[in-house]
Amino acid sequence: MAIEMCYEKDVDPSIIQGMKVAVIGYGSQGHAHALNLMDSGCDVRVGLREGSKSWAVAEEAGLKVMTMEDAAEEADLIMILVPDEIQAKVYKESIEAHVKPGNTLAFGHGFNVHFGYIVPPEGVNVIMCAPKGPGHIVRRQYTEGSGVPDLICVHTDATGNAWDIAKSYAWGVGGARTGIMLGTFAQETEEDLFGEQAVLCGGAVELVKAGFDTLVNYGGYPAELAYFEVYHELKMIVDLMYEKGISFMNYSISNTAEYGEYYAGPKVINEQSREAMKLILDRIKNGEFAKEFMADCENDHKWLLEQRAACDDLEIEKTGKKIRSMFTTVKK
Ligand code: NAD
Ligand code: MG
Ligand code: MG
């Protein structure tokens, strides 16, 4: 099943440039969307809570800032970029009353719409523009002249041109410079959660932790050496894969390393790990993960905060902090 792509030539920038856009929230994604859209010649206003720390920061960056209610009232397109777990509450309290027929509601991730925590009114376009990268990279690449690819989706096409609006919005945040992928809310929500859980965040971090533990606690090697081996060098290997593929990375490493990759990799990520991945995907698809996450959020993030504190306390993190402070070539 190949994914449909589009590029700058397929997009009409005048659509988004002709709309009043509200970006709700000024965090990781919010600041990137708002600033990139502004630099793309769009009429952007940032919607924030009164007293928000981001208010002055966004104004200093040259953006119009107002309350979420005023921003939603003025706008033709409302992009909701507050944390997933509070979106339903923020939407109910500050946005819903200001969404009018013909408006477009937009999201950076499908969580709330796909799992039914937000049910948009009829007559309103519901679209998504999800950059496939962290917000600070979305902004950095835009200022450098490139752009993080976006996944765009349409949940409801009320005006008949929701796809063109989504493409034009993605152009505004810089996604068309590299490529825009067309998908569905279900695909984006499920794949994104799976990717961050099994591979990008959950999988990668646990792999690094397990390698460090084995070297230090089982093998008795110095923590600094172990840190360099399984943590610091990971970025260089991933950079090679990202730039030119696994084969090029294999070409760059020694034959010894490549032999070890084929021999040891499937022993670490084995049938049991693949079964665990299937279970993780099943729990995402049937909504169990969403329910569990939302329950912890209602409980003031008790479990999440315990895990966060435990992570800060790991020997590998302490070693990393010490080493990075001695390393002038690692960017702050
Ligand atoms: P964030 O946590 O960085 O920022 C949230 C912002 O929302 C805050 O800076 C603040 O301006 C505002 N906010 C916080 N609490 C609020 C409240 N109670 N009421 C009103 N406003 C409040 O969020 P984020 O990581 O940018 O995520 C936003 C959306 O983008 C989510 O749907 C997320 O899944 C999606 N997304 C994020 C990334 C990423 O790089 N972080 C990548 C892809 C998609
Ligand atoms: Mg993601
Ligand atoms: Mg995500």
Side-chain angles (χ1 to χ4, degrees):
M1 197 166 54
I3 196 150
E4 199 184 327
M5 299 279 304
C6 72
Y7 304 93
E8 282 186 316
K9 63 175 175 37
D10 309 309
V11 178
D12 177 1
S14 73
I15 298 177
I16 196 67
Q17 287 173 330
M19 292 175 98
K20 290 188 174 133
V21 180
V23 173
I24 308 296
Y26 199 69
S28 175
Q29 287 292 324
H31 91 284
H33 287 230
L35 293 171
N36 292 3
L37 288 163
M38 179 174 73
D39 292 348
S40 296
C42 301
D43 177 10
V44 190
R45 66 232 357 90
V46 175
L48 295 174
R49 284 167 295 178
E50 241 152 323
S52 161
K53 275 184 289 182
S54 303
W55 198 293
V57 182
E59 274 183 346
E60 262 158 48
L63 287 156
K64 252 187 285 186
V65 185
M66 53 190 78
T67 63
M68 296 188 282
E69 289 79 358
D70 288 347
E73 180 63 34
E74 275 190 19
D76 306 309
L77 184 149
I78 305 160
M79 170 54 98
I80 302 184
L81 293 172
V82 299
D84 293 309
E85 65 271 25
I86 62 162
Q87 281 186 13
K89 186 168 176 281
V90 165
Y91 175 76
K92 263 263 162 285
E93 290 174 0
S94 309
I95 295 171
E96 192 173 40
H98 307 279
V99 183
K100 295 175 275 297
N103 281 175
T104 299
L105 260 184
F107 296 85
H109 175 42
F111 191 95
N112 281 278
V113 171
H114 180 62
F115 292 119
Y117 294 105
I118 293 179
V119 182
E122 271 178 45
V124 167
N125 291 327
V126 182
I127 67 166
M128 180 177 358
C129 175
K132 296 277 84 189
H136 295 89
I137 307 291
V138 173
R139 178 57 182 160
R140 187 199 299 167
Q141 289 201 356
Y142 182 95
T143 59
E144 289 170 354
S146 67
V148 170
D150 293 318
L151 176 57
I152 59 166
C153 315
V154 171
H155 180 269
T156 310
D157 184 0
T159 56
N161 66 339
W163 278 109
D164 292 332
I165 295 175
K167 286 178 193 173
S168 194
Y169 184 97
W171 170 86
V173 295
R177 293 167 174 186
T178 306
I180 302 169
M181 297 174 280
L182 279 58
T184 66
F185 267 65
Q187 283 174 341
E188 189 281 338
T189 308
E190 294 164 2
E191 283 170 357
D192 185 73
L193 293 170
F194 178 80
E196 61 205 22
Q197 291 179 23
V199 180
L200 306 175
C201 313
V205 167
E206 218 47 44
L207 189 65
V208 165
K209 278 157 63 177
F212 182 87
D213 265 351
T214 307
L215 281 175
V216 174
N217 298 320
Y218 178 70
Y221 299 89
E224 292 80 357
L225 214 52
Y227 174 85
F228 269 106
E229 200 51 54
V230 304
Y231 195 138
H232 182 84
E233 272 195 57
L234 182 63
K235 171 169 163 47
M236 306 181 207
I237 295 295
V238 171
D239 278 350
L240 292 175
M241 288 165 65
Y242 173 90
E243 283 157 23
K244 289 189 174 168
I246 295 175
S247 335
F248 182 78
M249 184 276 288
N250 284 337
Y251 163 74
S252 177
I253 63 180
S254 64
N255 286 338
T256 333
E258 187 182 358
Y259 185 97
E261 170 189 323
Y262 303 140
Y263 155 82
K267 292 188 176 19
V268 176
I269 306 299
N270 53 25
E271 214 29 64
Q272 204 187 334
S273 324
R274 286 167 190 270
E275 285 307 313
M277 285 192 179
K278 290 180 196 160
L279 202 68
I280 284 164
L281 184 57
D282 288 343
R283 292 192 74 250
I284 290 167
K285 286 171 74 104
N286 67 22
E288 271 178 56
F289 167 74
K291 229 186 268 167
E292 189 180 301
F293 171 63
M294 292 301 270
D296 187 54
C297 299
E298 302 259 304
N299 196 21
D300 300 324
H301 300 288
K302 183 171 181 291
W303 191 83
L304 177 76
L305 294 177
E306 279 166 15
Q307 307 311 307
R308 192 180 287 170
C311 183
D312 290 344
D313 216 34
L314 289 172
E315 188 186 357
I316 191 170
E317 281 302 88
K318 292 179 178 156
T319 307
K321 216 180 231 170
K322 194 173 85 191
I323 288 185
R324 287 190 300 269
S325 72
M326 293 158 28
F327 244 61
T328 49
T329 53
V330 180
K331 275 195 209 141
K332 289 260 152 50

